[in-house]
Amino acid sequence: MTRAVLHRMIGLLLLAAGHPSVGFAQDALQPYQLVRSLQLVQDRIAAGDHAAMPMQAKLLEMVDARLRDTGADDFKDPKNFRALLVYGMSGGNPLTVETAVSRATVAPEELAIAKGIISYLNGRPADAIETLRPIDPMTLPSDLGAFLALVKGSLLSVDEPAAALVLLDEARLLSPGTLVEEAALRRSVGIAVTQGDAARFALASTQYVERYLYSPYASQFADSFVSGVVALHMSISQDKLGDITSMMDPEREKVIYLRIARRAAIDGLNDLSAFAAARAERGRDGISNQDDPRALLYASLSTMTSGTVDEVHAKLDRIDRGKLSDGDRALLDAARAIAGELVAPPAALPARKPALAAVEQPPAVENASARTSGQQTSDEAGLPPVEGAMPEQPPAPAPGEPAASTSDTTAVAAASSDGAETLPAPAPAPALAPATGLNPSDPADAAMIKARRQLDLIDQMLGAAPR
């Protein structure tokens, strides 16, 4: 059906709903006719026709009113009961569905589907899964089977992701080119990421970009896509990533690469971050993004721990703060602070004292602890509040091992106060920073550890990243 014919038909329906003299037209239409009109509008929305969204809202109202007035005679036509179920799975009113089902006399399988849908609409997923599990969507009429496969796939996506992917494939097979396929592909991308299935992720992403890039729900796909590229970076080549993004328009491609560069930089994936930042700056079709302040900012972040300090400072100095959002300005300030820390002269190491003097050090240890706490507070004072940030905790001891005390010297002092024999505290071995291979006692490594800790804080505080 062409777009012009569709809009003409929907226009007549809306006119009938809004004009008292022709209001009888709504009652004259069968429920399945109204629901079919609703599906056509939803398919146009999935294809990128955002102007059809008000039509969808109005049609949902019309279908709801028509179904609330249905009686047992209306459901003698099986198409009308299937339409009721499809309406429920299309975002319909659960109370309307439940009321209409109570008036219908239908086969046990159709009644079971109705009960499962009502549980799903009322937020009882466990009941819905139990009721719908025995029903095979492929044995039902395609209009009903496609929606049922989509609902079952969504319900099983967490506990049974492999089964969910099969159901989402069935939904697409039964209803190609529709909102059902759009939703099935979008959800398949996210499930493939949790499964670690790079091939499935790349295939579903390619199909989504080809068909539904302009869907109003494409922002949800973008979230899953960026997360998947970062999570599966070892299995997805840069060439494959480039093939997928080349099907996007230049602006969407730029934003995707900016988001990948930021996420990869935070996760310490320097190669991926540098690649994404370079692609965002390079642009396409002769349009360069080198002057885009976001591109400059994220390119600087990607080289924060690998490029030279002069290069990082040069990039940061080129950024126009006035063109950044509040969140990106905070990120710029944090990046400059980190760059400054990398070139700050290292603090002098404390002079070594005789080991036997350890028993006389409790006050000094307390003062050192206070200085450390004060320094940490000072480091974070220049950053905006970080929602949900937790203070760093020492690593938990392995099972069967005694928990390490806060300080060997403090432990010696505590033993002395109890009158027990005191021994010199052993000199602690240099500790390695977790998962970095860096030595905190080395001034240069300590600066790197501090920089990466602040990058983690940046990730939590960044609320206005390109989306």
Side-chain angles (χ1 to χ4, degrees), residues 282-411:
R282 187 177 72 190
R284 203 174 71 199
D285 300 336
I287 302 175
S288 173
N289 298 317
Q290 291 184 354
D291 293 330
D292 187 313
R294 294 175 300 170
L296 292 172
L297 178 59
Y298 284 90
S300 302
L301 183 59
S302 69
T303 58
M304 186 66 66
T305 57
S306 59
T308 66
V309 174
D310 290 340
E311 291 174 347
V312 173
H313 273 296
K315 285 186 177 181
L316 294 176
D317 289 342
R318 290 170 54 197
I319 297 173
D320 183 354
R321 290 178 58 87
K323 295 181 179 180
L324 295 175
S325 65
D326 290 342
D328 280 348
R329 283 196 289 270
L331 176 61
L332 175 61
D333 292 340
R336 284 175 171 166
I338 294 171
E341 290 289 344
L342 294 177
V343 296
L349 294 176
R352 184 180 298 276
K353 295 183 178 181
L356 289 176
V359 295
E360 301 176 359
Q361 289 181 348
V365 171
E366 181 178 353
N367 292 337
S369 176
R371 285 196 303 272
T372 302
S373 176
Q375 181 180 359
Q376 181 177 358
T377 302
S378 175
D379 291 339
E380 298 180 5
L383 296 175
V386 180
E387 182 178 356
M390 298 294 293
E392 293 189 22
Q393 301 292 338
E401 295 182 4
S405 60
T406 303
S407 166
D408 290 334
T409 305
T410 305

Side-chain angles (χ1 to χ4, degrees), residues 74-343:
D74 291 307
F75 294 120
K76 289 180 179 178
D77 186 344
K79 294 194 294 291
N80 283 336
F81 191 76
R82 292 203 303 269
L84 170 65
L85 301 180
V86 169
Y87 160 76
M89 293 182 284
S90 300
N93 185 341
L95 181 59
T96 298
V97 175
E98 192 167 4
T99 301
V101 167
S102 68
R103 300 172 185 157
T105 302
V106 294
E109 183 181 55
E110 292 178 322
L111 185 59
I113 296 174
K115 290 181 178 179
I117 292 171
I118 291 170
S119 295
Y120 172 71
L121 293 174
N122 286 316
R124 300 193 301 269
D127 293 341
I129 291 173
E130 182 179 357
T131 304
L132 298 175
R133 188 183 294 276
I135 303 172
D136 182 1
M138 298 299 290
T139 64
L140 302 174
S142 60
D143 57 343
L144 178 59
F147 272 96
L148 184 60
L150 179 63
V151 168
K152 289 182 66 176
S154 301
L155 288 168
L156 295 175
S157 60
V158 175
D159 295 332
E160 301 178 42
L165 286 174
V166 172
L167 285 161
L168 294 175
D169 282 344
E170 292 177 355
R172 295 175 51 213
L173 181 64
L174 290 169
S175 194
T178 66
L179 184 63
V180 170
E181 184 185 34
E182 188 274 343
L185 272 174
R186 178 162 33 91
R187 293 171 190 178
S188 295
V189 171
I191 295 174
V193 175
T194 61
Q195 287 285 89
D197 189 342
R200 178 63 183 259
F201 169 80
L203 177 60
S205 297
T206 300
Q207 292 171 327
Y208 190 94
V209 173
E210 283 179 333
R211 303 172 192 177
Y212 301 108
L213 181 62
Y214 299 101
S215 163
Y217 311 108
S219 61
Q220 298 176 24
F221 160 77
D223 293 340
S224 296
F225 181 72
V226 171
S227 297
V229 169
V230 174
L232 304 173
H233 68 279
M234 295 295 292
S235 305
I236 299 177
S237 68
Q238 294 178 354
D239 289 341
K240 185 60 180 177
L241 177 58
D243 290 342
I244 297 173
T245 60
S246 67
M247 296 184 290
M248 302 177 181
D249 59 82
E251 179 62 23
R252 281 179 171 81
E253 182 183 47
K254 179 184 75 172
V255 172
I256 285 291
Y257 277 122
L258 285 171
R259 294 182 61 184
I260 293 172
R262 168 249 187 183
R263 287 285 301 276
I266 295 300
D267 290 354
L269 307 175
N270 291 333
D271 290 343
L272 176 61
S273 179
F275 165 76
R279 287 295 297 264
E281 285 188 293
R282 187 177 72 190
R284 203 174 71 199
D285 300 336
I287 302 175
S288 173
N289 298 317
Q290 291 184 354
D291 293 330
D292 187 313
R294 294 175 300 170
L296 292 172
L297 178 59
Y298 284 90
S300 302
L301 183 59
S302 69
T303 58
M304 186 66 66
T305 57
S306 59
T308 66
V309 174
D310 290 340
E311 291 174 347
V312 173
H313 273 296
K315 285 186 177 181
L316 294 176
D317 289 342
R318 290 170 54 197
I319 297 173
D320 183 354
R321 290 178 58 87
K323 295 181 179 180
L324 295 175
S325 65
D326 290 342
D328 280 348
R329 283 196 289 270
L331 176 61
L332 175 61
D333 292 340
R336 284 175 171 166
I338 294 171
E341 290 289 344
L342 294 177
V343 296

